[in-house]
Amino acid sequence: MQAIVQKLAQELGQKEIYVENVIRLLDEGNTVPFIARYRKEMHGTMDDQTIRLLSERLTYLRNLQTRRDEVKAAIAAQEKLTEPLAQSIDSAQTLAEIEDLYRPYRPKRRTRASIAREKGLEPLAQQLREQKGNVIPILQQAAAFINEEKGVCTAQEALDGAQDILAEQLSDDAEVRSKLRALLFRTGILTTIGDDADDRTYEMYHTFSEPVHRIQSHRILAINRGEKEGKLKVSIQGDENQAQVILRRALIHPKSAHQEVLRAVCMDSYNRLIFPSLEREIRNELTDRANEQAIHTFALNLRPLLMQPPVKGKVVLGFDPAYRTGCKLAVVDEIGKVLKTAVIYPTPPHKKIEESKKILQQLCQTYGVQCIAIGNGTASKESEIFVADCIRTLGGKIQYMVVSEAGASVYSASKLGAEEFPEYDVSLRSAVSIARRLQDPLAELVKIDPKAIGVGQYQHDMPQIRLGEALDGVVEDCVSSVGVDLNTASAALLARVAGVSKAASKNIITYREQNGRFQQRKELLKVKGLGPKAYEQCAGFLRVLDGKELLDRTAVHPESYQAARTALLLCGYTEDDAANGNVSELSKRFESLNAQDVVQRCGVGVPTLHDIITELQKPGRDPREELPPPMLRTDVLELSDLKTGMELTGTVRNVTDFGAFVDIGVHQDGLVHISELSNRFIKHPSEAVQVGDIVQVRVLSVDEKTKRIALSMKQVSK
């Protein structure tokens, strides 16, 4: 275990004691958000992402150790485990190294080599490998192994069998495989061929080649998909000459008596056994790396999407565009309660524009609509033009925003959607979801499987369990960062709070319905299925914004309430002062105190005290409100309006490995290639932008036929 601690500390650049503490906390069943927020003194203020990475690597290293033990036990059962072999297995750093060492001892199906052994040809193979100098010709030696009863009818058959044995031994040599794997990674060329000349999707891969060590992750995923769809043929070409040098050095002694025969063994071993196996391994490793990169990019995108500032205190009309079935409308009040729904037909084939305009304007005037949220799916462009025209008629006081409707249909047709809105059909639920996404993105998007939110690349091709775990962690961290109103949160939102299970979230709702609003956090202990451990994990992330206890509005954990009161007192303030916002000099007074004395009197560490002071200055604060607000529009542009050199303001909708897609108000997002994101060199687009950013862009080119817009963020005027 200590070796794992040391390795993790080295990888993460953390002290061993902090790593050891985090491992212990995880093993005790504590959640990552709880550890990150409320055990800072134990881990040196690591953030939640670092702790999640530590947790993932811990699982990998423990699984690696388990596999080490399994392999050693399997070899020992064959009575072939030597001390040097055991040391090699113990020092192996990757699963591939362990499997290479185990390969000669792994039970195999019948092979050409095993059949040759059954025929008694292993001694001939040994002679072939070890004989030096002048000896009798190998075929004469092989004649001694002719045994028709065992199926060896000629000397050549005996020699072929001996060569098969040596070829397999060579392919099972861990050191040889390691060297050849490294060679193939260093010099290999991945090539693709596409047969369908009319296929535009994989056009760039019809005749494509790139060094294995340089190929980018998104290309690997695209190539894999093309191969799976039968559109591409994929292969890796290696440097066979260098490979043969490695194999001959491993097998052939300089004074060998049978060099030509052994060279043939090397060639056969490489072409028949080693290369096909290594090609599969490298393709799998490239895919694993690409998957991890894509999952990382997805997580990077999801976090800012969930943390987009809410549009609070506004009546919003959700507009779910469609053609034949009509556009669905839903008006929701300031807290998301549905006031009215309707269906209009302003788009083809109906084009009932005047009738639709009358209904939309009536809804806006009757319910005081201040914002319109338009889904970005089918018929979005026509709907946006229609809405912009209606806004002009109404005097231009209403604003609109095109929001991603990814996953809205999934939510609408889900059991959760049916439970929340049993009185509405599936399409109207989508309109409600679109409206609420503008009001509070986090509260609405947590109802949807993160994989369906649509801010990644090739998410359906990735390992779904691994992707789900990574994205669920991001959602949990975001929810914990913002905090959840215990008296208004849905069961779906409550279930995303660290320490709250799906069953417990439903029980919280049931308790609320039966007993009325929560007055204090500690009432959670009365909820069925939510015991002391779960309460410890979740309490700090749940808020009672209008209850009896001031500290229940904050992220201060109940275990630190006394410390918070003492800190206020030492700074010369009361809880009433904090509740009324009369603590403007709290930080200044706190910093003027003797830190050691404050720590001793409050009973908590300095990092926790700093968090307490921050919370007391703004009880009930929402960290999202400190971010720039989302960009609302009142008018619409056409693709034909765009001209090269035009400068526009846009919103980043997605970030991929090769660039960022920006909404500039023409329905079709423009691409800012990674080379156009910054005047400085960046390795990944996430270094320059994130989802939700409001950015200034310049139009580089517009292709109306393919609807492709190339943008740049370089040297754009402010």
Side-chain angles (χ1 to χ4, degrees):
M1 185 60 194
Q2 192 57 38
I4 289 178
V5 170
Q6 290 173 351
K7 186 168 182 60
L8 287 172
Q10 184 179 17
E11 288 181 0
L12 300 173
Q14 301 288 338
K15 293 181 179 178
E16 288 184 24
I17 185 63
Y18 292 156
V19 171
E20 202 168 346
N21 287 341
V22 171
I23 292 173
R24 185 170 69 254
L25 288 166
L26 289 168
D27 288 344
E28 290 171 355
N30 295 289
T31 64
V32 170
F34 176 80
I35 296 170
R37 175 90 191 177
Y38 299 114
R39 293 295 180 264
K40 289 184 176 180
E41 287 79 6
M42 295 183 70
H43 58 69
T45 66
M46 292 186 209
D47 60 24
D48 48 16
Q49 295 178 63
T50 303
I51 294 173
R52 285 198 188 279
L53 179 59
L54 188 156
S55 177
E56 290 169 7
R57 287 291 294 153
L58 174 65
T59 300
Y60 175 82
L61 292 173
R62 281 177 167 171
N63 289 340
L64 198 65
Q65 185 58 48
T66 299
R67 185 57 181 159
R68 280 196 190 96
D69 296 339
E70 291 171 350
V71 165
K72 287 196 293 186
I75 298 173
Q78 300 174 35
E79 299 183 352
K80 295 179 180 178
L81 184 65
T82 63
E83 186 62 31
L85 178 57
Q87 290 177 356
S88 296
I89 294 171
D90 286 337
S91 62
Q93 297 299 306
T94 66
L95 189 59
E97 290 178 46
I98 293 173
E99 296 303 329
D100 280 349
L101 292 165
Y102 181 43
R103 193 179 184 88
Y105 309 96
R106 181 188 289 114
K108 295 183 176 71
R109 58 179 176 78
R110 290 190 83 214
T111 63
R112 282 164 49 171
S114 64
I115 292 170
R117 289 190 184 94
E118 291 169 7
K119 293 178 179 180
L121 298 174
E122 195 150 21
L124 178 59
Q126 198 73 7
Q127 291 175 30
L128 183 59
R129 181 169 190 167
E130 294 180 356
Q131 285 180 347
K132 303 177 184 66
N134 295 320
V135 296
I136 62 173
I138 190 62
L139 278 175
Q140 290 183 30
Q141 296 182 50
F145 290 87
I146 294 174
N147 186 331
E148 293 187 5
E149 288 183 5
K150 290 187 176 182
V152 185
C153 300
T154 66
Q156 187 62 52
E157 287 182 6
L159 179 59
D160 290 343
Q163 287 178 292
D164 288 340
I165 292 171
L166 290 178
E168 185 173 274
Q169 288 177 352
L170 196 55
S171 76
D172 285 346
D173 187 306
E175 185 177 352
V176 166
R177 291 184 70 87
S178 177
K179 288 179 179 178
L180 289 175
R181 186 185 292 109
L183 173 68
L184 204 50
F185 257 116
R186 189 173 67 252
T187 65
I189 304 293
L190 187 142
T191 65
T192 64
I193 297 174
D195 296 329
D196 186 358
D198 296 326
D199 174 37
R200 301 297 298 272
T201 305
Y202 301 104
E203 185 176 11
M204 75 169 288
Y205 299 110
H206 285 179
T207 53
F208 172 84
S209 65
E210 191 164 6
V212 166
H213 70 276
R214 280 217 319 253
I215 191 164
Q216 294 176 315
S217 295
H218 64 274
R219 286 184 177 162
I220 289 293
L221 296 175
I223 288 168
N224 288 353
R225 180 180 286 183
E227 183 180 41
K228 186 177 180 181
E229 293 175 0
K231 301 292 182 67
L232 299 174
K233 292 179 181 178
V234 188
S235 62
I236 293 177
Q237 278 78 48
D239 189 329
E240 192 168 329
N241 291 331
Q242 285 193 52
Q244 289 302 315
V245 170
I246 292 170
L247 289 167
R248 290 169 187 172
R249 285 175 178 169
L251 181 67
I252 306 173
H253 190 277
K255 296 181 179 180
S256 171
H258 311 294
Q259 293 201 19
E260 289 303 317
V261 176
L262 292 177
R263 284 196 182 97
V265 168
C266 292
M267 189 70 71
D268 175 56
S269 180
Y270 183 74
N271 292 331
R272 180 170 59 88
L273 300 174
I274 299 175
F275 180 79
S277 172
L278 290 182
E279 185 180 34
R280 285 192 300 273
E281 285 183 27
I282 288 174
R283 289 285 309 277
N284 289 338
E285 186 166 342
L286 289 173
T287 298
D288 289 344
R289 290 182 185 180
N291 285 335
E292 283 302 310
Q293 175 60 33
I295 289 170
H296 177 67
T297 298
F298 203 135
L300 279 177
N301 288 342
L302 182 60
R303 188 179 298 271
L305 179 67
L306 294 176
M307 294 296 286
Q308 284 185 99
V311 178
K312 290 186 176 180
K314 293 184 182 292
V315 177
V316 176
L317 184 146
F319 193 114
D320 186 11
Y323 287 121
R324 183 180 54 81
T325 57
C327 302
K328 286 73 180 179
L329 311 181
V331 181
V332 301
D333 68 10
E334 295 88 345
I335 60 171
K337 179 182 177 182
V338 181
L339 301 176
K340 186 68 176 178
T341 62
V343 181
I344 58 177
Y345 300 88
T347 57
H350 307 285
K351 289 190 175 181
K352 298 180 180 179
I353 295 176
E354 290 306 316
E355 178 185 318
S356 300
K357 187 180 292 187
K358 187 180 295 184
I359 293 172
L360 180 66
Q361 291 173 347
Q362 186 177 16
L363 287 173
C364 290
Q365 291 170 340
T366 302
Y367 296 100
V369 171
Q370 296 159 285
C371 291
I372 299 176
I374 306 171
N376 68 340
T378 304
S380 176
K381 182 61 180 178
E382 293 87 344
S383 299
E384 186 181 356
I385 293 170
F386 168 75
V387 166
D389 187 44
C390 288
I391 288 174
R392 282 193 292 270
T393 305
L394 289 167
K397 294 181 180 179
I398 299 173
Q399 296 174 300
Y400 76 86
M401 180 175 171
V402 177
V403 301
S404 170
E405 63 180 53
S409 58
V410 176
Y411 158 74
S412 301
S414 68
K415 182 181 177 182
L416 177 60
E419 288 175 352
E420 193 168 9
F421 298 111
E423 69 274 30
Y424 300 125
D425 68 21
V426 171
S427 58
L428 288 172
R429 291 175 199 154
S430 289
V432 176
S433 178
I434 288 168
R436 288 178 164 184
R437 287 184 187 203
L438 183 61
Q439 287 184 318
D440 192 337
L442 180 61
E444 195 61 26
L445 291 174
V446 294
K447 301 174 185 176
I448 300 164
D449 183 344
K451 296 190 290 291
I453 291 177
V455 288
Q457 52 185 2
Y458 303 102
Q459 56 262 41
H460 301 296
D461 299 334
M462 294 178 227
Q464 295 301 292
I465 293 176
R466 171 75 185 98
L467 175 62
E469 289 172 349
L471 300 186
D472 285 343
V474 173
V475 175
E476 185 180 60
D477 291 341
C478 289
V479 170
S480 301
S481 173
V482 172
V484 172
D485 186 343
L486 195 50
N487 285 315
T488 62
S490 65
L493 183 54
L494 289 166
R496 293 292 191 170
V497 175
V500 179
S501 65
K502 287 185 178 180
S505 70
K506 292 179 180 178
N507 291 339
I508 290 173
I509 299 295
T510 300
Y511 180 91
R512 203 166 67 194
E513 291 170 348
Q514 293 175 350
N515 299 279
R517 299 173 67 82
F518 283 86
Q519 297 300 314
Q520 290 181 290
R521 272 176 173 158
K522 62 185 179 183
E523 284 183 64
L524 281 165
L525 290 167
K526 299 178 182 179
V527 174
K528 180 182 177 182
L530 207 153
K533 183 65 175 180
Y535 175 75
E536 176 192 51
Q537 299 299 305
C538 72
F541 307 118
L542 294 168
R543 312 278 194 268
V544 182
L545 297 178
D546 52 0
K548 300 176 180 178
E549 169 64 67
L550 165 70
L551 296 172
D552 284 349
R553 305 178 203 171
T554 71
V556 177
H557 197 280
E559 67 186 10
S560 299
Y561 279 8
Q562 188 54 52
R565 295 186 181 108
T566 302
L568 268 176
L569 187 64
L570 290 173
C571 292
Y573 288 115
T574 66
E575 286 188 58
D576 286 341
D577 291 330
N580 295 323
N582 297 324
V583 289
S584 58
E585 294 190 356
L586 181 59
S587 291
K588 186 177 178 181
R589 293 186 187 184
F590 176 74
E591 294 298 334
S592 69
L593 298 174
N594 181 284
Q596 194 59 40
D597 180 55
V598 175
V599 165
Q600 288 181 350
R601 296 180 67 174
C602 292
V604 295
V606 173
T608 297
L609 276 172
H610 278 295
D611 286 345
I612 288 172
I613 296 300
T614 300
E615 289 297 316
L616 289 173
Q617 290 179 102
K618 292 183 178 180
R621 75 186 182 95
D622 185 335
R624 296 173 297 173
E625 293 175 355
E626 298 171 6
L627 301 171
M631 188 171 69
L632 301 172
R633 301 182 184 277
T634 58
D635 210 345
V636 65
L637 282 172
E638 295 284 353
L639 195 65
S640 58
D641 294 332
L642 298 180
K643 305 297 179 187
T644 301
M646 184 180 288
E647 294 183 4
L648 300 163
T649 302
T651 304
V652 177
R653 294 300 183 199
N654 198 7
V655 179
T656 67
D657 290 341
F658 53 85
F661 289 93
V662 178
D663 172 12
I664 54 173
V666 293
H667 183 55
Q668 187 67 38
D669 290 346
L671 172 65
V672 185
H673 189 266
I674 185 172
S675 61
E676 293 292 335
L677 278 169
S678 175
N679 291 316
R680 62 184 176 86
F681 173 77
I682 57 173
K683 290 184 178 180
H684 192 271
S686 60
E687 297 175 37
V689 292
Q690 62 180 18
V691 170
D693 280 354
I694 308 298
V695 295
Q696 293 292 111
V697 295
R698 185 176 72 259
V699 178
L700 294 179
S701 65
V702 180
D703 187 332
E704 292 193 44
K705 185 177 180 180
T706 61
K707 295 184 178 179
R708 291 181 177 176
I709 307 167
L711 304 172
S712 175
M713 286 174 52
K714 285 184 173 180
Q715 298 176 344
V716 175
S717 61
K718 301 297 181 184

